[in-house]
Amino acid sequence: SRAAAPRQDLAGEILLDPVSAALLCRQFMVTTRAEVVLLDEELHDLGEPAARPPSLTVGREGELSILTSFWETAVAEAEPSLTLVTGPPGIGKTRLSLELQQRLRRSGEPLTILTSRAEPSSVAEPYGILEQLLNSAPGPDPELLRQLQQERSDAAAQTEPLRGKFFDWLRAETAKAPVLLVVDDLQWADALSLGILGQALHTLAPAPLLLLALGRSEDRRLLGGPLAAGQTHQLVLKGLSAKASERLAGQRLGRALPAAALTQIMALSGGNPLFLQELLLALNGEDVVTDSETVIVLLQSRILALPAAARRTVLTASLFGLRFSRRWLATGLGEEPASGLDAPAPCRSWIGTS
């Protein structure tokens, strides 16, 4: 059979399959042209909605208190420190950070919050995170920004002048008020920015400074990278408990969920707040998740979030069905399971063995 000719009228367009369209339609315009689904422009908020969705910090009161205590210690002792918050996508790292920022602002105490967020393309953008932090300041330093852009464009430029000027600027900011630096999606941050921020934690002491870095738990480089030295705290976000999930579902729906529906949603979401809310949107009139595409995408996301060894074990086990022997699994893997079926909790939640 002859291959279909390219559609010239769709040149430059982004084509979507049905699953991708369903996931992206809440953040982007999704249009249909001649039976083809296309990705259009990003949607933007036009102000506060009439009814705000509930806070995703349901069940995170303890973690929020821990972060607050880290901040209070950094301020009281004038000791620059790093707090690393890790967890899989959708677990609520960004929301927890936003809640901390709101809590600190509501306290009435003087402070400066500088924020940045990396993208997958940020790794190749020298000083991208540093530039975002500078631009988020109440009064960005134009000379420092010019220096940054010059060193970015000049491969032969030395980093020391920029480093020194940034330290001087940040030291002056901490003299005015305690400073909270936020780096979201740390796993995509550029190395030059992280190197300078890591050195700032040492160079600026004593100073009321906390660097809050949010990253994915599967990226082990976060613990051994340029930020790893000095006073470091780590907070690992886990899935919500059944009680917290029940509270979140109740707030989201405005009513209590039947026990069977809550059990189904907990099993599919693993306590991930983002997954849980997507599943709530997929409930039918009988409080049952019947949207197979939503379920498949969420299950795929959970599998991809597993460590590499656990992911390979689960995918190999799926070849045998619901029940299988350890010997079968070892044969399929070509070796004994790396961590053993008795050890990895991520595997045990996915597979049953005999």
Side-chain angles (χ1 to χ4, degrees):
S1 60
R2 298 178 59 184
R7 291 276 300 273
Q8 297 300 324
D9 58 318
L10 298 178
E13 300 284 2
I14 300 176
L15 279 62
L16 301 176
D17 61 88
V19 174
S20 300
L23 289 175
L24 292 171
C25 66
R26 296 185 183 91
Q27 188 173 350
F28 295 85
M29 289 287 291
V30 175
T31 59
T32 302
R33 186 194 307 166
E35 301 182 353
V36 177
V37 182
L38 305 174
L39 182 67
D40 209 327
E41 63 181 311
E42 187 173 5
L43 298 173
H44 299 280
D45 289 332
L46 299 177
E48 286 291 317
R52 290 187 61 188
S55 167
L56 293 185
T57 50
V58 170
R60 299 294 190 205
E61 294 81 3
E63 289 89 342
L64 187 56
S65 295
I66 290 172
L67 292 184
T68 303
S69 71
F70 291 159
W71 165 257
E72 292 172 346
T73 299
V75 172
E77 299 183 4
E79 182 181 12
S81 61
L82 164 69
T83 294
L84 180 62
V85 179
T86 61
I91 204 67
K93 301 182 293 295
T94 299
R95 184 65 194 188
L96 184 62
S97 167
L98 292 174
E99 287 292 331
L100 174 67
Q101 294 172 46
Q102 291 177 11
R103 172 179 284 195
L104 297 181
R105 288 191 176 102
R106 287 195 300 265
S107 72
E109 297 294 328
L111 81 155
T112 299
I113 299 177
L114 308 178
T115 61
S116 64
R117 183 166 195 164
E119 302 285 347
S121 60
S122 302
V123 177
E125 183 182 9
Y127 307 115
I129 292 299
L130 223 56
E131 184 175 29
Q132 288 186 45
L133 292 172
L134 289 169
N135 281 320
S136 70
D141 185 328
E143 180 58 34
L144 184 52
L145 284 169
R146 277 195 296 271
Q147 177 80 35
L148 182 151
Q149 290 160 3
Q150 177 183 347
E151 294 201 13
R152 175 185 291 160
S153 60
D154 184 359
Q158 300 294 317
T159 60
E160 288 307 317
L162 174 62
R163 193 187 313 269
K165 288 182 179 180
F166 177 76
F167 291 165
D168 291 342
W169 175 80
L170 189 53
R171 185 179 289 109
E173 290 297 316
T174 59
K176 300 174 190 174
V179 174
L180 174 66
L181 300 174
V182 181
V183 180
D184 202 349
D185 281 327
L186 179 65
Q187 70 278 355
W188 292 323
D190 66 281
L192 288 173
S193 291
L194 296 185
I196 290 178
L197 291 174
Q199 289 188 9
L201 296 177
H202 296 285
T203 304
L204 299 186
L209 173 67
L210 178 66
L211 173 56
L212 177 63
L214 318 171
R216 295 185 178 180
S217 52
E218 69 267 21
D219 195 334
R220 300 302 178 187
R221 294 172 300 170
L222 300 184
L223 299 178
L227 297 181
Q231 180 66 29
T232 303
H233 307 284
Q234 185 181 12
L235 182 62
V236 180
L237 294 188
K238 304 291 187 181
L240 297 178
S241 67
K243 284 293 184 184
S245 297
E246 184 176 10
R247 285 165 50 204
L248 180 58
Q251 288 187 18
R252 192 75 172 86
L253 298 175
R255 59 182 176 83
L257 265 183
L262 185 62
T263 299
Q264 182 194 25
I265 285 178
M266 277 296 298
L268 292 172
S269 70
N272 184 301
L274 176 62
F275 292 176
L276 191 147
Q277 293 198 103
E278 289 296 324
L279 288 166
L280 291 175
L281 293 174
L283 287 174
N284 64 11
E286 299 177 352
D287 285 332
V288 175
V289 178
T290 57
D291 185 345
S292 59
E293 290 182 350
T294 297
V295 173
I296 290 172
V297 170
L298 294 181
L299 291 177
Q300 288 174 339
S301 299
R302 290 188 63 192
I303 292 175
L304 290 174
L306 293 173
R311 183 166 64 246
R312 184 165 176 257
T313 300
V314 170
L315 293 176
T316 302
S318 69
L319 300 174
F320 299 107
L322 292 177
R323 304 193 68 80
F324 50 88
S325 70
R326 185 191 184 98
R327 179 172 56 82
W328 294 357
L329 185 58
T331 301
L333 288 169
E335 59 185 5
E336 280 294 312
S339 36
L341 289 180
D342 337 321
C347 291
R348 289 202 304 271
S349 66
W350 283 93
I351 57 180
T353 63
S354 60

